[in-house]
Amino acid sequence: MTLNRRDQILKYIVEHFIKTAQPVGSQTLIEEYHLPYSSATIRNEMNALEQIGLLEKTHSSSGRVPSSEGYRFYCEYLRDKEVSEDLKYNLQKVLDEKTRSIEEVIKESCEILSHMTSLASVVLGPNAKEEHLASIQLIPLGPRSATVVFVTDRGYVENKTFVIPNEMSMEEVAKCMKMFSDRLIGTPVSELVIKMEALRPIVNDYVIGHDVVYKTLLETFLRFASDRLLLYGKKELLNQPEFLDDADKIRKMINLLDSPENLIDVEKNSERDYKEGNITIHIGNSNEEYPDVSIVTTKIRVGDEQEGTIALVGPTRMDYDKVMSALEYFAKELSKYYGNDKGGNNT
Amino acid sequence: MTLNRRDQILKYIVEHFIKTAQPVGSQTLIEEYHLPYSSATIRNEMNALEQIGLLEKTHSSSGRVPSSEGYRFYCEYLRDKEVSEDLKYNLQKVLDEKTRSIEEVIKESCEILSHMTSLASVVLGPNAKEEHLASIQLIPLGPRSATVVFVTDRGYVENKTFVIPNEMSMEEVAKCMKMFSDRLIGTPVSELVIKMEALRPIVNDYVIGHDVVYKTLLETFLRFASDRLLLYGKKELLNQPEFLDDADKIRKMINLLDSPENLIDVEKNSERDYKEGNITIHIGNSNEEYPDVSIVTTKIRVGDEQEGTIALVGPTRMDYDKVMSALEYFAKELSKYYGNDKGGNNT
DNA sequence: GTTAGCACTCCAAGAAAAAGAGTGCCAAAG
DNA sequence: CTTTGGCACTCTTTTTCTTGGAGTGCTAAC
């Protein structure tokens, strides 16, 4: 499909700006892309594009820079949708390692994605709410201390070491734990805390000094509910030119990346986001808290339950084409390998 | 103990510089501290202090700044060694919560320390090498996947989820795991990998397709060996004036904090470090990779084995007095609570 | 519709000047 | 022999001004 002149010019501007991080002028455009028009013509088109709100100027006589809308338009209509062979090759290499668990595959893939896009990648773990408690194990460490290990049916593990009060024997702790275990296994993680509440009076009759056990379990269950967040490629991201000389921007970005809440906030504010297939693109916007940050996300599914979100985070000036294609490719390949058979692989 | 004039001046300079991050001039010194001498006299003393190597100039006509040696001297002879009541109160509040595990106490204490010193605090977990494997548990998740959970005798947990190859049944995996378990429990973590090597031929005879199990275990054991590092207060640190406008310094600091290796490297280079009680102070030095970073560390002991290191990391211009006192106080209190009874608390 | 031409705007970089903070040192006073 | 007032000097920081250049918008002609 060939583009009309105006769109073609917009495309060039977006791509050139993505590459150089410099506002693009009419002259540059002609030289770089050998356009068969005079600079005046280009300027007219640029002006028109600015009127529609797809381009912006940094000051009255500067070159043009894409607006959020401009990027959005680019994503929707102009991008090439090509996945680089390099990326395919690198991802495939990771995916082909059969005995790797999905977590490891995701980790390594994210490192590759980060590296190839110079963005940070964030893995937002599956919300444990949908998982069920599969096992509670008490492991005595010494006469007065023990560790409890909790495993969900999707292999997520939490643990907690605690001190056994003098008035309780290890046997009693074990008995108490068994009691909880019998009543809690199979419970969805989201209901654990409520169910504990109900168990409180019952366990009261069983064991004296049970409250340590009770409290230990409760605290750990609360941890289940918190988001599991992994972050890769921070270094790559901070070497982008927008951060080269701007300490404030760096601090702000670190803030964003270090506290999941913020990221989730940005992501939630999504009425204006552009969706394409499984990919959602949030393009930073001047009336937001992080105006110059864009986030491209995709849901990762393994088996038939939702398994988590992968996001690539960076400046609004990011290579949307590359990022979207890469993420789409990755999500597709991943589901091909870890598809609808609940975690089994398809050898 | 009252100081001689020269030392008193050095003390004021160090403290003023720590407070303001600006080179200190003779005039300022007189005004701020009401010294009963003329500026010329002060200048003579400053000159002398520079000759001895305790002060430096940022350029030929600038005020003075403490040198590494100057800081060191300050730490050893000049500091006040007072612990603020505020800090005592806040730490005590955390320490008094009886059922908290030591990890949580350390976490919260570090947050307090970071907050009150505006430095980053780093917890370098106990080196697992000294721990012994206490438990291996296989938890089946589905027909073709399972999680193994490993616990050391000090309550450190590692886990790994893996996919069971088609040619193996869950029973076989369990059997295989049991075999490993029987032979590995009690082994020091440092020897696990070697011992695995020895087991390889034996297990070969037992089960077909054991290599997945073997590989899973081996990979997890390798993870045991890696350092366990926690980091708090990055935000506080990056708001220090040295980072206000210097993107490069921020990047460098983040690099340092994000990769444990670097931190350990800095810490190891310790011939010149100053030790006082349980505290070790590494003061950044111009011929090092991180010339303007200082690290104050203390070993934390629980029971009779070494349990880890806590470090406060920040610019060489840090409040050594406050930091050392705080850390010393914390370490002392902690060992009071979690003293020599192997993890029991003293209620 | 396209383009050459030109006036205009704004930024970036550099030079020059001015202001300020601080030093070192000398000679005189204590 | 230590302290101090005085002064020349150094170096940084801030401000102002200038200049060059990149880029635009507009108009009139093609």
Side-chain angles (χ1 to χ4, degrees), chain B residues 209-254:
Chain B
H210 65 278
D211 37 319
V212 171
V213 177
Y214 186 85
K215 204 173 164 195
T216 302
L217 265 63
L218 199 60
E219 279 181 15
T220 317
F221 292 158
L222 287 172
R223 267 212 305 258
F224 266 126
S226 67
D227 294 295
R228 305 162 202 167
L229 194 119
L230 302 169
L231 175 63
Y232 308 100
K234 184 151 68 172
K235 209 156 96 186
E236 268 96 346
L237 178 57
L238 294 183
N239 280 328
Q240 293 271 18
E242 8 277 291
F243 301 107
L244 196 66
D245 226 37
D246 192 331
D248 271 338
K249 268 207 183 125
I250 297 187
R251 266 189 296 266
K252 213 167 171 196
M253 181 54 90
I254 289 175

Short mmCIF file of all heavy atoms in Angstrom, two decimals, chain B residues 209-254:
data_model
loop_
_atom_site.label_atom_id
_atom_site.label_comp_id
_atom_site.label_asym_id
_atom_site.label_seq_id
_atom_site.Cartn_x
_atom_site.Cartn_y
_atom_site.Cartn_z
N GLY B 209 15.48 -40.47 31.81
CA GLY B 209 15.01 -39.10 31.68
C GLY B 209 15.25 -38.27 32.92
O GLY B 209 14.62 -37.25 33.15
N HIS B 210 16.20 -38.70 33.71
CA HIS B 210 16.47 -37.99 34.95
C HIS B 210 17.14 -36.65 34.71
O HIS B 210 17.22 -35.81 35.59
CB HIS B 210 17.42 -38.81 35.81
CG HIS B 210 18.75 -38.93 35.15
ND1 HIS B 210 19.01 -39.85 34.17
CD2 HIS B 210 19.87 -38.20 35.29
CE1 HIS B 210 20.25 -39.70 33.75
NE2 HIS B 210 20.80 -38.70 34.40
N ASP B 211 17.65 -36.45 33.52
CA ASP B 211 18.48 -35.26 33.32
C ASP B 211 17.72 -33.95 33.52
O ASP B 211 18.31 -32.95 33.89
CB ASP B 211 19.19 -35.28 31.96
CG ASP B 211 18.32 -35.88 30.88
OD1 ASP B 211 17.65 -36.88 31.19
OD2 ASP B 211 18.29 -35.34 29.76
N VAL B 212 16.41 -33.98 33.31
CA VAL B 212 15.65 -32.76 33.58
C VAL B 212 15.71 -32.45 35.07
O VAL B 212 15.96 -31.33 35.48
CB VAL B 212 14.19 -32.91 33.14
CG1 VAL B 212 13.37 -31.72 33.62
CG2 VAL B 212 14.11 -33.04 31.64
N VAL B 213 15.49 -33.48 35.85
CA VAL B 213 15.55 -33.30 37.30
C VAL B 213 16.94 -32.83 37.70
O VAL B 213 17.12 -31.87 38.45
CB VAL B 213 15.21 -34.61 38.03
CG1 VAL B 213 15.35 -34.44 39.53
CG2 VAL B 213 13.81 -35.06 37.67
N TYR B 214 17.92 -33.51 37.14
CA TYR B 214 19.30 -33.17 37.45
C TYR B 214 19.59 -31.71 37.13
O TYR B 214 20.09 -30.94 37.94
CB TYR B 214 20.22 -34.08 36.64
CG TYR B 214 21.67 -33.91 36.98
CD1 TYR B 214 22.23 -34.60 38.06
CD2 TYR B 214 22.48 -33.06 36.24
CE1 TYR B 214 23.57 -34.45 38.38
CE2 TYR B 214 23.82 -32.90 36.56
CZ TYR B 214 24.36 -33.60 37.63
OH TYR B 214 25.67 -33.44 37.94
N LYS B 215 19.20 -31.32 35.95
CA LYS B 215 19.47 -29.96 35.49
C LYS B 215 18.73 -28.93 36.35
O LYS B 215 19.27 -27.87 36.70
CB LYS B 215 19.03 -29.82 34.03
CG LYS B 215 19.74 -28.72 33.28
CD LYS B 215 19.40 -28.73 31.79
CE LYS B 215 19.80 -27.44 31.13
NZ LYS B 215 19.19 -27.26 29.82
N THR B 216 17.51 -29.25 36.68
CA THR B 216 16.72 -28.35 37.51
C THR B 216 17.40 -28.10 38.86
O THR B 216 17.57 -26.97 39.30
CB THR B 216 15.33 -28.96 37.77
OG1 THR B 216 14.70 -29.19 36.52
CG2 THR B 216 14.48 -28.02 38.62
N LEU B 217 17.82 -29.18 39.46
CA LEU B 217 18.49 -29.04 40.74
C LEU B 217 19.77 -28.23 40.60
O LEU B 217 20.02 -27.30 41.38
CB LEU B 217 18.81 -30.43 41.33
CG LEU B 217 17.78 -30.97 42.31
CD1 LEU B 217 16.46 -31.18 41.60
CD2 LEU B 217 18.26 -32.26 42.95
N LEU B 218 20.53 -28.58 39.62
CA LEU B 218 21.82 -27.93 39.47
C LEU B 218 21.66 -26.42 39.30
O LEU B 218 22.34 -25.62 39.94
CB LEU B 218 22.54 -28.52 38.25
CG LEU B 218 24.04 -28.29 38.23
CD1 LEU B 218 24.69 -28.92 39.45
CD2 LEU B 218 24.65 -28.86 36.96
N GLU B 219 20.72 -26.04 38.45
CA GLU B 219 20.52 -24.61 38.20
C GLU B 219 20.10 -23.87 39.46
O GLU B 219 20.51 -22.75 39.71
CB GLU B 219 19.46 -24.41 37.11
CG GLU B 219 20.04 -24.58 35.72
CD GLU B 219 18.98 -24.36 34.65
OE1 GLU B 219 17.92 -23.81 34.98
OE2 GLU B 219 19.24 -24.73 33.50
N THR B 220 19.28 -24.53 40.24
CA THR B 220 18.82 -23.88 41.46
C THR B 220 19.96 -23.76 42.46
O THR B 220 20.11 -22.75 43.14
CB THR B 220 17.66 -24.67 42.08
OG1 THR B 220 16.78 -25.06 41.04
CG2 THR B 220 16.91 -23.82 43.08
N PHE B 221 20.78 -24.80 42.51
CA PHE B 221 21.91 -24.75 43.44
C PHE B 221 22.86 -23.62 43.07
O PHE B 221 23.45 -22.98 43.94
CB PHE B 221 22.65 -26.09 43.45
CG PHE B 221 21.83 -27.20 44.05
CD1 PHE B 221 22.10 -28.53 43.77
CD2 PHE B 221 20.78 -26.91 44.92
CE1 PHE B 221 21.34 -29.55 44.33
CE2 PHE B 221 20.00 -27.91 45.48
CZ PHE B 221 20.29 -29.24 45.18
N LEU B 222 23.00 -23.40 41.78
CA LEU B 222 23.86 -22.30 41.36
C LEU B 222 23.30 -20.97 41.86
O LEU B 222 24.04 -20.06 42.21
CB LEU B 222 24.01 -22.29 39.84
CG LEU B 222 24.90 -23.41 39.30
CD1 LEU B 222 24.84 -23.46 37.78
CD2 LEU B 222 26.34 -23.23 39.77
N ARG B 223 21.98 -20.90 41.88
CA ARG B 223 21.35 -19.66 42.37
C ARG B 223 21.63 -19.44 43.85
O ARG B 223 21.74 -18.32 44.31
CB ARG B 223 19.84 -19.72 42.14
CG ARG B 223 19.39 -19.11 40.84
CD ARG B 223 18.03 -18.47 40.98
NE ARG B 223 17.03 -19.40 41.50
CZ ARG B 223 16.12 -20.02 40.75
NH1 ARG B 223 16.08 -19.82 39.46
NH2 ARG B 223 15.25 -20.83 41.29
N PHE B 224 21.73 -20.52 44.58
CA PHE B 224 22.04 -20.40 46.01
C PHE B 224 23.32 -19.60 46.22
O PHE B 224 23.46 -18.85 47.18
CB PHE B 224 22.26 -21.79 46.63
CG PHE B 224 21.05 -22.37 47.26
CD1 PHE B 224 20.61 -23.62 46.91
CD2 PHE B 224 20.36 -21.66 48.25
CE1 PHE B 224 19.49 -24.19 47.50
CE2 PHE B 224 19.24 -22.23 48.85
CZ PHE B 224 18.80 -23.49 48.47
N ALA B 225 24.24 -19.84 45.33
CA ALA B 225 25.56 -19.25 45.50
C ALA B 225 25.55 -17.74 45.26
O ALA B 225 26.40 -17.02 45.75
CB ALA B 225 26.55 -19.92 44.55
N SER B 226 24.57 -17.27 44.53
CA SER B 226 24.60 -15.84 44.20
C SER B 226 24.22 -15.01 45.42
O SER B 226 23.54 -15.47 46.32
CB SER B 226 23.63 -15.56 43.05
OG SER B 226 22.32 -15.78 43.48
N ASP B 227 24.69 -13.81 45.42
CA ASP B 227 24.49 -12.97 46.60
C ASP B 227 23.06 -12.49 46.71
O ASP B 227 22.40 -12.22 45.72
CB ASP B 227 25.43 -11.76 46.51
CG ASP B 227 26.86 -12.19 46.62
OD1 ASP B 227 27.23 -12.69 47.68
OD2 ASP B 227 27.60 -12.05 45.62
N ARG B 228 22.63 -12.40 47.91
CA ARG B 228 21.28 -11.90 48.15
C ARG B 228 21.39 -10.46 48.59
O ARG B 228 21.96 -10.16 49.63
CB ARG B 228 20.60 -12.71 49.24
CG ARG B 228 20.61 -14.19 48.91
CD ARG B 228 20.34 -14.95 50.18
NE ARG B 228 20.84 -16.30 50.04
CZ ARG B 228 20.97 -17.12 51.06
NH1 ARG B 228 20.67 -16.72 52.28
NH2 ARG B 228 21.44 -18.33 50.87
N LEU B 229 20.82 -9.62 47.80
CA LEU B 229 21.05 -8.20 48.03
C LEU B 229 19.74 -7.43 48.05
O LEU B 229 18.91 -7.58 47.17
CB LEU B 229 21.94 -7.69 46.90
CG LEU B 229 22.55 -6.33 47.14
CD1 LEU B 229 24.06 -6.45 47.14
CD2 LEU B 229 22.09 -5.38 46.07
N LEU B 230 19.58 -6.65 49.06
CA LEU B 230 18.40 -5.81 49.14
C LEU B 230 18.83 -4.35 49.17
O LEU B 230 19.88 -4.03 49.69
CB LEU B 230 17.60 -6.13 50.40
CG LEU B 230 17.14 -7.57 50.53
CD1 LEU B 230 16.61 -7.83 51.93
CD2 LEU B 230 16.08 -7.85 49.47
N LEU B 231 17.99 -3.52 48.61
CA LEU B 231 18.37 -2.12 48.50
C LEU B 231 17.21 -1.22 48.91
O LEU B 231 16.09 -1.41 48.48
CB LEU B 231 18.74 -1.83 47.04
CG LEU B 231 19.07 -0.40 46.66
CD1 LEU B 231 20.28 0.08 47.41
CD2 LEU B 231 19.29 -0.31 45.15
N TYR B 232 17.51 -0.26 49.74
CA TYR B 232 16.48 0.69 50.16
C TYR B 232 17.00 2.11 50.06
O TYR B 232 18.20 2.35 50.14
CB TYR B 232 16.05 0.43 51.60
CG TYR B 232 15.69 -0.99 51.87
CD1 TYR B 232 16.59 -1.86 52.46
CD2 TYR B 232 14.45 -1.48 51.48
CE1 TYR B 232 16.26 -3.19 52.69
CE2 TYR B 232 14.11 -2.80 51.69
CZ TYR B 232 15.02 -3.65 52.29
OH TYR B 232 14.69 -4.96 52.50
N GLY B 233 16.08 3.04 49.89
CA GLY B 233 16.45 4.45 50.01
C GLY B 233 17.15 5.03 48.80
O GLY B 233 17.80 6.07 48.89
N LYS B 234 16.99 4.39 47.65
CA LYS B 234 17.62 4.93 46.45
C LYS B 234 17.13 6.35 46.20
O LYS B 234 17.90 7.23 45.85
CB LYS B 234 17.28 4.02 45.27
CG LYS B 234 17.97 4.44 44.00
CD LYS B 234 18.21 3.26 43.09
CE LYS B 234 16.92 2.70 42.53
NZ LYS B 234 17.17 1.68 41.50
N LYS B 235 15.85 6.54 46.38
CA LYS B 235 15.26 7.84 46.11
C LYS B 235 15.90 8.92 46.99
O LYS B 235 16.29 9.97 46.50
CB LYS B 235 13.76 7.78 46.37
CG LYS B 235 12.97 8.73 45.53
CD LYS B 235 11.54 8.26 45.36
CE LYS B 235 10.59 8.88 46.36
NZ LYS B 235 9.24 8.29 46.27
N GLU B 236 15.99 8.61 48.26
CA GLU B 236 16.60 9.56 49.18
C GLU B 236 18.00 9.95 48.69
O GLU B 236 18.36 11.13 48.66
CB GLU B 236 16.74 8.96 50.60
CG GLU B 236 15.59 9.24 51.51
CD GLU B 236 14.59 8.09 51.51
OE1 GLU B 236 14.70 7.22 50.60
OE2 GLU B 236 13.71 8.05 52.38
N LEU B 237 18.74 8.94 48.35
CA LEU B 237 20.12 9.19 47.95
C LEU B 237 20.19 10.09 46.73
O LEU B 237 20.97 11.05 46.68
CB LEU B 237 20.81 7.85 47.65
CG LEU B 237 22.25 7.96 47.16
CD1 LEU B 237 23.11 8.70 48.15
CD2 LEU B 237 22.82 6.59 46.89
N LEU B 238 19.35 9.80 45.75
CA LEU B 238 19.45 10.55 44.49
C LEU B 238 18.95 11.98 44.64
O LEU B 238 19.08 12.77 43.71
CB LEU B 238 18.68 9.82 43.38
CG LEU B 238 19.28 8.48 43.00
CD1 LEU B 238 18.52 7.86 41.85
CD2 LEU B 238 20.75 8.60 42.63
N ASN B 239 18.40 12.31 45.77
CA ASN B 239 18.03 13.70 45.99
C ASN B 239 19.13 14.52 46.66
O ASN B 239 18.97 15.71 46.89
CB ASN B 239 16.75 13.78 46.82
CG ASN B 239 15.53 13.55 45.96
OD1 ASN B 239 15.52 13.91 44.78
ND2 ASN B 239 14.52 12.93 46.52
N GLN B 240 20.22 13.88 46.95
CA GLN B 240 21.36 14.62 47.50
C GLN B 240 21.86 15.63 46.48
O GLN B 240 21.80 15.38 45.28
CB GLN B 240 22.49 13.64 47.85
CG GLN B 240 22.17 12.70 48.98
CD GLN B 240 22.54 13.28 50.33
OE1 GLN B 240 22.74 14.48 50.47
NE2 GLN B 240 22.63 12.43 51.32
N PRO B 241 22.38 16.74 46.97
CA PRO B 241 22.78 17.80 46.03
C PRO B 241 23.81 17.38 44.99
O PRO B 241 23.80 17.91 43.88
CB PRO B 241 23.35 18.89 46.94
CG PRO B 241 23.49 18.28 48.29
CD PRO B 241 22.54 17.14 48.36
N GLU B 242 24.68 16.41 45.31
CA GLU B 242 25.67 16.03 44.29
C GLU B 242 25.01 15.48 43.03
O GLU B 242 25.61 15.48 41.96
CB GLU B 242 26.70 15.02 44.79
CG GLU B 242 26.48 14.41 46.15
CD GLU B 242 26.98 15.31 47.25
OE1 GLU B 242 28.19 15.48 47.37
OE2 GLU B 242 26.11 15.84 47.96
N PHE B 243 23.79 15.01 43.18
CA PHE B 243 23.12 14.40 42.03
C PHE B 243 22.13 15.35 41.37
O PHE B 243 21.57 15.03 40.34
CB PHE B 243 22.40 13.13 42.46
CG PHE B 243 23.31 12.12 43.07
CD1 PHE B 243 23.29 11.87 44.42
CD2 PHE B 243 24.22 11.42 42.28
CE1 PHE B 243 24.15 10.95 44.99
CE2 PHE B 243 25.08 10.49 42.84
CZ PHE B 243 25.05 10.26 44.20
N LEU B 244 21.96 16.49 42.00
CA LEU B 244 20.90 17.38 41.57
C LEU B 244 20.96 17.65 40.07
O LEU B 244 19.95 17.64 39.38
CB LEU B 244 21.00 18.71 42.34
CG LEU B 244 19.75 19.56 42.25
CD1 LEU B 244 18.61 18.87 42.96
CD2 LEU B 244 20.01 20.93 42.85
N ASP B 245 22.16 17.88 39.60
CA ASP B 245 22.28 18.37 38.23
C ASP B 245 23.26 17.57 37.41
O ASP B 245 23.70 18.01 36.36
CB ASP B 245 22.74 19.83 38.30
CG ASP B 245 21.94 20.68 37.36
OD1 ASP B 245 20.72 20.44 37.23
OD2 ASP B 245 22.54 21.57 36.74
N ASP B 246 23.58 16.40 37.90
CA ASP B 246 24.65 15.66 37.24
C ASP B 246 24.15 14.27 36.83
O ASP B 246 24.20 13.32 37.60
CB ASP B 246 25.83 15.55 38.20
CG ASP B 246 27.06 15.05 37.48
OD1 ASP B 246 26.91 14.31 36.49
OD2 ASP B 246 28.18 15.40 37.90
N ALA B 247 23.66 14.21 35.60
CA ALA B 247 23.07 12.97 35.11
C ALA B 247 24.08 11.83 35.12
O ALA B 247 23.74 10.70 35.43
CB ALA B 247 22.51 13.17 33.71
N ASP B 248 25.31 12.16 34.81
CA ASP B 248 26.33 11.11 34.77
C ASP B 248 26.53 10.49 36.15
O ASP B 248 26.62 9.26 36.28
CB ASP B 248 27.66 11.67 34.28
CG ASP B 248 27.76 11.58 32.77
OD1 ASP B 248 27.03 10.74 32.19
OD2 ASP B 248 28.53 12.34 32.18
N LYS B 249 26.59 11.34 37.14
CA LYS B 249 26.77 10.82 38.50
C LYS B 249 25.60 9.92 38.88
O LYS B 249 25.78 8.89 39.51
CB LYS B 249 26.86 11.98 39.49
CG LYS B 249 28.28 12.43 39.74
CD LYS B 249 28.45 13.05 41.12
CE LYS B 249 29.87 13.55 41.33
NZ LYS B 249 29.93 14.97 41.71
N ILE B 250 24.40 10.32 38.50
CA ILE B 250 23.23 9.49 38.82
C ILE B 250 23.38 8.12 38.17
O ILE B 250 23.23 7.09 38.81
CB ILE B 250 21.93 10.15 38.33
CG1 ILE B 250 21.71 11.46 39.06
CG2 ILE B 250 20.74 9.22 38.57
CD1 ILE B 250 20.37 12.09 38.78
N ARG B 251 23.69 8.14 36.88
CA ARG B 251 23.83 6.86 36.18
C ARG B 251 24.88 5.98 36.83
O ARG B 251 24.69 4.78 37.01
CB ARG B 251 24.17 7.10 34.71
CG ARG B 251 22.96 7.12 33.80
CD ARG B 251 23.38 7.14 32.35
NE ARG B 251 24.09 8.37 32.06
CZ ARG B 251 23.50 9.46 31.57
NH1 ARG B 251 22.22 9.44 31.30
NH2 ARG B 251 24.18 10.55 31.35
N LYS B 252 25.97 6.60 37.19
CA LYS B 252 27.05 5.83 37.78
C LYS B 252 26.62 5.23 39.11
O LYS B 252 26.89 4.07 39.41
CB LYS B 252 28.28 6.72 37.97
CG LYS B 252 29.57 5.96 37.81
CD LYS B 252 30.78 6.85 37.67
CE LYS B 252 32.04 5.99 37.74
NZ LYS B 252 33.24 6.78 37.99
N MET B 253 25.93 6.03 39.88
CA MET B 253 25.47 5.55 41.19
C MET B 253 24.47 4.42 41.03
O MET B 253 24.53 3.41 41.74
CB MET B 253 24.86 6.72 41.97
CG MET B 253 24.37 6.36 43.36
SD MET B 253 25.60 5.54 44.43
CE MET B 253 26.36 6.93 45.22
N ILE B 254 23.57 4.56 40.08
CA ILE B 254 22.58 3.51 39.85
C ILE B 254 23.26 2.22 39.45
O ILE B 254 22.94 1.14 39.92
CB ILE B 254 21.58 3.95 38.78
CG1 ILE B 254 20.70 5.04 39.35
CG2 ILE B 254 20.73 2.78 38.31
CD1 ILE B 254 19.77 5.64 38.36
#
